[in-house]
Amino acid sequence: MSEMNRKTGIIGKKLGMTQVFAENGNVSVVTLIEAGPCAVIQVKTVERDGYAAVKLGFQEIIKTKRVNKPMKGMFDKISQKPHKLLREFRLNAAGSGNEQALKVGDVVTVAGFAVGDVVKVSGKTKGKGFQGVMKRHNYRGGPGSHGSMFNRAPGSIGASSFPSRVWKNTGLPGHMGAVRVTVSNLRVIDVKPEQNLLIIKGAVPGPTGNIVEITK
Amino acid sequence: MNLVTALEENFRREIPAFNIGDTLKIHVRVVEGDKERIQPYEGIVIARKGAGVREMVTVRKMSFGVGVERIFPIHSPIIKQIDVVRRGDVRKAKLYYIRHKKGKDAKIKEKAREIKKAAV
């Protein structure tokens, strides 16, 4: 909560990865994200909701008959087109924010990002299924051969009479991936507002087509 | 993937057709301090890897008796020009075996027909 400069983020779709050349021949690995335009669906304030935030909608629903009645009612009330995805972004409490206040119906686009910005990207990672400790917790495992029977097993998971139990948070096999992860310190390489395209150096969570949130 | 390929196309450069075993002369832009010059690098293509603008080519030459291999991203902006000097007649896609050959064994036969065509 100590972050002083909270700005609204944007919702995007991961389009895939490629590489770009710099003028001096250096190669950067980049991710392309189709971000926005996102309509402001709701503005939450400290007085009414207890915290300040803005709710954005991404990907308009073309076939409006697919929208169920409660959702339709909600969108009709603010006279906005229905959107497939809604995400909330926390803001500074009113008054302390240094960007002009967003209103319902405003559109957030990639134009809010500039080349060189450092951003965070959050999204759901690829699911890896049930994995062992070597993949899931980077345990070292044992020798692969020479008669070793200790290959990929976790080994000892604790001491004996004390504590007579397994410590909490001991890494054990289990389900891996498909969790929300935030990658920080990613640099914006290029912004193309006419294509709603954000080009970011490095990798972002999830497969191509994944929905991600980009915040400054 | 449309926008991805569209972005890649921006970096695509005209590359002459060449194969494994060909001798290439690659003109590389070298920046030394604030000066810039073109340095040619000539050698045999022993591998091509990757596709599209991500393609890399390994070029091997003998420099004062020492084997030198440089790997170029062939669509890199530091490459000013690529000349095909000689067509090689080889039967493999990767010529890594040539690293262990010496003298005459390390030679690559010239492709007879294609050179004639080029001469006409």
Side-chain angles (χ1 to χ4, degrees):
Chain A
M1 294 304 273
S2 60
E3 282 169 288
M4 290 308 289
N5 207 354
R6 268 183 165 151
K7 284 180 176 173
T8 175
I10 194 165
I11 313 168
K13 188 175 117 185
K14 180 172 169 180
L15 292 177
M17 294 185 74
T18 181
Q19 65 176 37
V20 296
F21 286 105
E23 190 49 40
N24 62 359
N26 286 356
V27 169
S28 301
V29 178
V30 296
T31 307
L32 276 70
I33 298 172
E34 183 190 355
C38 296
V40 177
I41 302 296
Q42 189 186 0
V43 178
K44 296 197 170 181
T45 57
V46 179
E47 297 83 62
R48 199 181 55 220
D49 307 288
Y51 63 98
V54 59
K55 191 194 276 177
L56 301 183
F58 182 51
Q59 290 180 339
E60 274 178 25
I61 300 175
I62 311 296
K63 291 186 175 173
T64 42
K65 67 173 183 182
R66 298 264 168 90
V67 186
N68 64 26
K69 280 207 175 141
M71 289 301 269
K72 189 172 180 300
M74 192 269 284
F75 285 111
D76 284 348
K77 202 171 171 185
I78 54 167
S79 58
Q80 289 297 310
K81 289 198 176 118
H83 290 77
K84 276 185 203 163
L85 294 157
L86 299 174
R87 290 281 194 284
E88 225 176 76
F89 292 92
R90 288 292 289 268
L91 295 176
N92 288 333
S96 61
N98 51 4
E99 74 181 334
Q100 70 266 48
L102 288 160
K103 301 185 299 297
V104 171
D106 284 356
V107 178
V108 178
T109 64
V110 288
F113 292 89
V115 175
D117 281 355
V118 174
V119 294
K120 290 178 187 170
V121 180
S122 312
K124 206 175 196 184
T125 58
K126 284 181 184 174
K128 303 287 181 190
F130 193 100
Q131 291 299 333
V133 289
M134 282 180 71
K135 190 181 179 81
R136 192 169 180 233
H137 300 295
N138 298 324
Y139 282 21
R140 210 174 295 137
S145 58
H146 292 292
S148 165
M149 287 155 75
F150 176 56
N151 297 331
R152 300 181 64 89
S156 167
I157 54 170
S160 179
S161 57
F162 179 81
S164 287
R165 61 184 173 87
V166 177
W167 291 110
K168 279 190 176 179
N169 299 325
T170 300
L172 288 172
H175 186 264
M176 184 183 171
V179 290
R180 184 188 162 87
V181 163
T182 301
V183 184
S184 41
N185 294 328
L186 296 174
R187 203 162 280 276
V188 176
I189 295 280
D190 205 354
V191 181
K192 292 185 176 170
E194 69 280 6
Q195 290 167 315
N196 294 317
L197 191 63
L198 206 56
I199 301 178
I200 284 174
K201 185 173 176 177
V204 308
T208 294
N210 198 31
I211 298 300
V212 292
E213 292 151 39
I214 306 122
T215 48
K216 271 195 200 176
Chain B
M1 290 298 268
N2 257 337
L3 285 169
V4 178
T5 42
L7 181 75
E8 286 178 348
E9 284 309 309
N10 294 337
F11 296 101
R12 186 177 286 282
R13 325 254 321 277
E14 286 241 338
I15 306 292
F18 65 89
N19 283 317
I20 311 294
D22 293 357
T23 304
L24 293 189
K25 194 171 188 178
I26 297 179
H27 301 261
V28 190
R29 207 178 68 204
V30 185
V31 180
E32 281 167 344
D34 53 352
K35 274 191 203 156
E36 204 182 278
R37 63 193 176 84
I38 303 291
Q39 190 180 53
Y41 180 92
E42 189 173 327
I44 298 163
V45 178
I46 63 164
R48 287 179 83 161
K49 275 185 173 182
V53 291
R54 293 186 300 270
E55 187 171 353
M56 310 281 276
V57 55
T58 308
V59 183
R60 181 181 172 88
K61 73 167 179 183
M62 293 306 283
S63 176
F64 304 106
V66 181
V68 176
E69 281 178 18
R70 261 190 94 169
I71 305 168
F72 295 98
I74 53 174
H75 291 276
S76 170
I78 65 160
I79 294 177
K80 279 288 128 194
Q81 199 190 332
I82 299 178
D83 299 328
V84 183
V85 177
R86 189 170 172 271
R87 300 275 178 192
D89 191 3
V90 292
R91 302 167 75 164
K92 303 259 184 274
K94 303 279 186 277
L95 306 182
Y96 299 137
Y97 68 87
I98 214 158
R99 291 170 180 165
H100 311 297
K101 303 279 185 191
K102 269 186 195 164
K104 226 175 171 182
D105 286 347
K107 279 253 161 66
I108 284 173
K109 260 194 298 176
E110 191 160 354
K111 213 168 217 175
R113 241 173 242 164
E114 283 215 349
I115 278 293
K116 259 183 208 161
K117 219 188 273 174
V120 168

